[in-house]
Amino acid sequence: MSSTTPAPGTSAGSPGSRLRRVAVIAAPPVSMFNLAIPEMLFGKVEVDGGPGYETVICAPDPGPVTTTGGLDLVVPRGLEAVEGADTVILAGSGAYEDPDPRVLDVLRASADGGKRIASICTGAFALAEAGLLDGRAATTYWAYRPLLASRHPAVDLQDDVLFVQDGPVLTSSGYAAGIDLCLHVIRTDHGAAVANAVARLALVAPVRPGGQTQFTQTPLPPERGVSFADTRAWAMEHLDEPLGLTDLARHAGVSVRTLSRRFHAETGVSPLQWLLHQRVERAKELLEATSLPMDQLARASGLGTADSLRQHLLRRTGLTPSAYRASFNRLPSSGTR
């Protein structure tokens, strides 16, 4: 299942929708970085002048909670906080091989109640132990994948991806991939413009597709200091132009062959895959923030035609351009006519 497709049976969300509640479970010893990601990102979401989310951190035993770094954090809320949440996120824990039965019970009850459930890093082990990943596509940090596969063969483990959504269940690989997962949730609930605004505030990459690879092999060192960050920034300013490999290579001052190899080493995707992804994201932002006709919007985003826009957006989001605009437009109702 595509990592960018909204879960069946869940609301895509729209401007002005009610405050969404996210419960983050800290199972000791919890990863402090994993735990900080949801609060950092969801706390920056603003919709129609107000917060888009309420985030609460909870633990099996309220009070001091040990971390993988040896420090203690004080978590005053118990697992009862999960009951009022729309989304439940399990942070990675050092006790992934022996998850707390109370956490497993809460996860099962949350699934039965129709909540969206997600894990960061080793949190996938508890989701699997609770039976929530059987027959589903899922992922975890690459170093732990063989163990998860051996312990839970019914899980359809995806190799070398950042995150996976299968229905209402999401799993991410290690560390920073939790950022990508949370931005995906925000994008699903409130649209690309809101998610990208949050990414800018948090100073993180705005969009990385879930299918982008984990960096399981050491990337090649830059040749003579070559980096394509400037070329990517330049391309973002010229998405409406017919850019190709030759244009990108010319801007970077390298051959097409070098560009393709080095670009993939830096980003995990090919230059043309990256360009297409950014164009689709630009189209989503324009659908949310403008009333441009579809043919003009397609040209402005670099997708060419309204038919091409429809094809790519449907493949990435499961929605037609008109349906996406109806769900996520942020213009006054009179301005979308």
Side-chain angles (χ1 to χ4, degrees):
M1 184 174 193
S2 170
S3 61
T4 56
T5 302
T10 62
S11 170
S14 61
S17 58
R18 64 179 176 81
L19 184 71
R20 298 170 185 269
R21 292 177 175 83
V22 177
V24 185
I25 300 177
V30 68
S31 163
M32 289 190 294
F33 184 62
N34 281 192
L35 197 59
I37 289 170
E39 192 282 328
M40 175 184 71
L41 295 176
F42 291 117
K44 287 181 168 57
V45 175
E46 183 175 301
V47 180
D48 296 334
Y53 296 93
E54 175 189 5
T55 306
V56 60
I57 298 175
C58 58
D61 296 304
V65 174
T66 58
T67 70
T68 52
L71 301 176
D72 283 352
L73 299 175
V74 177
V75 179
R77 302 289 297 275
L79 294 178
E80 70 280 352
V82 172
E83 294 178 10
D86 304 291
T87 299
V88 180
I89 300 178
L90 183 61
S93 168
Y96 56 90
E97 292 190 74
D98 188 24
D100 190 314
R102 294 170 294 177
V103 172
L104 300 181
D105 289 343
V106 164
L107 291 173
R108 295 185 184 109
S110 297
D112 290 342
K115 300 180 189 298
R116 178 169 53 193
I117 300 174
S119 66
I120 300 175
C121 196
T122 56
F125 279 80
L127 268 60
E129 189 68 27
L132 304 186
L133 299 184
D134 289 352
R136 293 188 186 275
T139 192
T140 190
Y141 183 47
W142 65 269
Y144 300 116
R145 186 191 180 281
L147 179 60
L148 184 60
S150 65
R151 292 178 63 123
H152 300 283
V155 179
D156 180 17
L157 274 176
Q158 304 295 295
D159 288 324
D160 206 19
V161 297
L162 294 179
F163 66 86
V164 176
Q165 176 171 350
D166 193 330
V169 180
L170 301 91
T171 51
S172 72
S173 57
Y175 301 106
I179 295 174
D180 300 294
L181 182 146
C182 290
L183 286 174
H184 169 70
V185 169
I186 295 168
R187 192 161 57 245
T188 300
D189 289 346
H190 298 292
V194 173
N196 289 344
V198 170
R200 286 191 292 270
L201 287 171
L203 298 178
V204 297
V207 176
R208 294 201 299 174
Q212 180 171 319
T213 58
Q214 299 180 42
F215 294 99
T216 57
Q217 298 178 353
T218 303
L220 295 173
E223 297 173 352
R224 298 183 302 278
V226 173
S227 170
F228 299 123
D230 289 344
T231 295
R232 291 195 296 273
W234 171 80
M236 290 293 290
E237 297 176 355
H238 297 82
L239 289 178
D240 59 332
E241 300 176 14
L243 299 180
L245 288 176
T246 301
D247 302 294
L248 296 175
R250 184 182 301 115
H251 183 274
V254 298
S255 68
V256 169
R257 181 178 179 181
T258 296
L259 172 85
S260 298
R261 180 166 54 87
R262 302 296 318 165
F263 197 102
H264 192 283
E266 285 188 21
T267 68
V269 293
S270 73
L272 294 183
Q273 286 174 321
W274 181 87
L275 264 178
L276 177 59
H277 191 81
Q278 301 307 325
R279 282 171 166 154
V280 172
E281 289 301 310
R282 176 66 54 80
K284 288 160 67 176
E285 289 194 7
L286 291 173
L287 285 167
E288 296 167 26
T290 76
S291 56
L292 284 174
M294 295 305 174
D295 56 346
Q296 292 182 30
L297 193 146
R299 289 194 297 272
S301 60
L303 293 174
T305 66
D307 285 342
S308 177
L309 167 65
R310 178 185 176 87
Q311 173 189 346
H312 289 297
L313 194 70
L314 194 59
R315 181 180 302 157
R316 296 294 180 94
T317 69
L319 297 173
T320 65
S322 296
Y324 188 91
R325 173 171 275 169
S327 295
F328 294 114
N329 82 83
R330 306 196 63 78
L331 293 172
S333 57
S334 60
T336 60
R337 306 218 189 281

